Amino acid sequence: MTKPWILLLHCPDRKGLVAAIAQFLFERGGNILHAAQHQDNDLNLFFMRVEFALDDASERASLREQFGALAQRYGMEWELSNQEQLPKVAIFVSQYLHCLNDLLFRHHAGELQCEISLLISNHEDARPLADFYKIPFHHVPVTKETKLQAEERQTTLLRENGVELVVLARYMQVLSPGFCAAYPRRIINVHHSFLPAFTGAKPYHAAFARGVKLIGSSSHYVTEVLDEGPIIEQDVMRISHDDQLGDLIQKGRDLERLVLSRAVRWHLERRILSYANKTVIFN
Ligand SMILES: Nc1nc2c(c(=O)[nH]1)N[C@@H](CN(C=O)c1ccc(C(=O)N[C@@H](CCC(=O)O)C(=O)O)cc1)CN2
């Protein structure tokens, strides 16, 4: 039994789309295992995620080409994945290791179906974790003066390893527009606030100063505009006047781990459709 295919698509909404997609798969011996759809009525857009089994080798070989013809007819943006190759992932981290540690254990436990090909950090703190999990670790120091050279080193490592997804697990450096453009909707960051509140480097400090009663965390695709990429997942937690800054940071860490791991898993399971700086999450 081969692994199921996953079809993700969006296109201008019109009658007959579900029938056309189901008929296309039926005619080729496909068996739909799960299907979900969504309409954005403001933008008149249709979204769909279909998981299906297709065992015939010749149909599998020509599937993309044949679906391309259907997609052109309906103006679809689409992707077909058959999960036979584990996606290669790089994790970037600075000095706070709680999100990295969570992702590495979840991967070890089989929750994240990917290959973590390398860790990159501008500090040495994460090296013991990388060694424990036997993952190649690259220390690439970053200063204001050396930022571009550091990114050249980072992107060379990513290319050499065939990385398809970059995860910023509390990586505290702003990526250049060129870096972001090289990995569109393939860099996931966790921001430690309930966006769009408290963007920037120290959101817990800003939240504590503001006297908030809820703290939050947000995972999002990274774009060149800081903390403004399409939001993937968010969560919040109550705090009170008894909580000091350290309590916010400590309580927030649980939210960061949850929110980032959900975003990474949903991306790997091809459950995220991104459009107009928003996301549709099929989970
Ligand atoms: N192009 C983007 N790069 C990054 C994003 C993003 O959305 N777009 N998210 C950040 C993560 N982040 C908050 O979640 C964040 C990290 C760092 C900074 C910052 O001002 N960094 C300073 C250096 C700070 C230091 O050296 O300790 C800087 O880069 O000059 C703001 C927000 C990750 N990158």
Side-chain angles (χ1 to χ4, degrees):
M1 178 79 168
T2 57
K3 287 199 171 180
W5 289 77
I6 296 175
L7 170 63
L8 269 178
L9 64 94
H10 69 277
C11 62
D13 192 18
R14 59 186 285 181
K15 291 179 183 174
L17 289 168
V18 174
I21 293 160
Q23 184 66 20
F24 171 89
L25 295 173
F26 172 70
E27 286 169 353
R28 287 156 184 78
N31 179 31
I32 294 177
L33 306 172
H34 178 81
Q37 67 192 65
H38 168 70
Q39 276 97 333
D40 181 319
N41 296 319
D42 295 340
L43 297 177
N44 189 44
L45 284 175
F46 172 82
F47 302 85
M48 192 169 194
R49 179 183 187 273
V50 187
E51 268 186 57
F52 61 93
L54 182 66
D55 296 327
D56 180 284
S58 64
E59 292 293 355
R60 292 170 67 87
S62 64
L63 190 65
R64 281 191 176 85
E65 181 186 357
Q66 295 198 16
F67 188 82
L70 178 84
Q72 191 168 20
R73 199 179 318 150
Y74 291 100
M76 294 176 180
E77 288 188 43
W78 59 284
E79 67 164 59
L80 256 178
S81 50
N82 59 20
Q83 306 173 78
E84 278 170 359
Q85 296 284 333
L86 280 181
K88 293 177 168 53
V89 175
I91 304 179
F92 284 43
V93 67
S94 290
Q95 289 179 287
Y96 297 112
L97 306 182
H98 54 287
C99 289
L100 171 66
N101 186 55
D102 182 68
L103 289 172
L104 293 179
F105 181 75
R106 288 179 190 273
H107 178 259
H108 174 75
E111 289 182 33
L112 301 175
Q113 287 304 302
C114 66
E115 175 190 309
I116 300 178
S117 304
L118 69 161
L119 303 185
I120 294 178
S121 179
N122 54 328
H123 295 275
E124 281 282 355
D125 304 60
R127 189 182 291 276
L129 260 180
D131 294 346
F132 176 80
Y133 283 99
K134 297 182 174 52
I135 297 172
F137 177 84
H138 299 274
H139 177 215
V140 183
V142 181
T143 66
K144 287 198 186 318
E145 298 70 34
T146 65
K147 199 147 198 166
L148 281 183
Q149 294 90 325
E151 277 201 359
E152 279 166 18
R153 174 67 183 140
Q154 291 167 344
T155 50
T156 299
L157 285 166
L158 296 179
R159 270 195 313 275
E160 286 172 350
N161 286 275
V163 167
E164 300 159 70
L165 175 66
V166 176
V167 179
L168 306 184
R170 289 302 301 275
Y171 180 67
M172 301 312 284
Q173 293 295 324
V174 178
L175 301 182
S176 70
F179 193 132
C180 297
Y183 292 88
R185 296 194 300 277
R186 291 190 292 143
I187 307 171
I188 294 175
N189 177 60
V190 57
H191 181 73
H192 36 310
S193 83
F194 190 72
L195 290 175
F198 308 124
T199 55
K202 296 185 178 295
Y204 289 132
H205 292 69
F208 181 67
R210 185 68 184 77
V212 299
K213 301 305 179 185
L214 286 173
I215 55 169
S217 191
S218 309
S219 53
H220 62 92
Y221 285 121
V222 166
T223 60
E224 66 177 89
V225 183
L226 193 60
D227 302 329
E228 291 204 2
I231 291 171
I232 300 168
E233 172 63 335
Q234 297 184 293
D235 212 332
V236 294
M237 180 185 291
R238 298 202 72 81
I239 60 149
S240 80
H241 53 276
D242 289 329
D243 288 310
Q244 298 308 303
L245 175 60
D247 301 306
L248 271 63
I249 293 170
Q250 180 61 46
K251 291 180 175 182
R253 286 196 180 123
D254 289 336
L255 294 175
E256 294 166 45
R257 284 184 276 248
L258 267 178
V259 159
L260 181 59
S261 60
R262 287 172 189 160
V264 172
R265 180 165 57 81
W266 293 343
H267 180 96
L268 293 172
E269 293 174 355
R270 314 311 302 142
R271 296 184 178 278
I272 306 172
L273 259 173
S274 178
Y275 76 103
N277 211 43
K278 289 184 181 178
T279 60
V280 174
I281 309 289
F282 291 112
N283 62 2

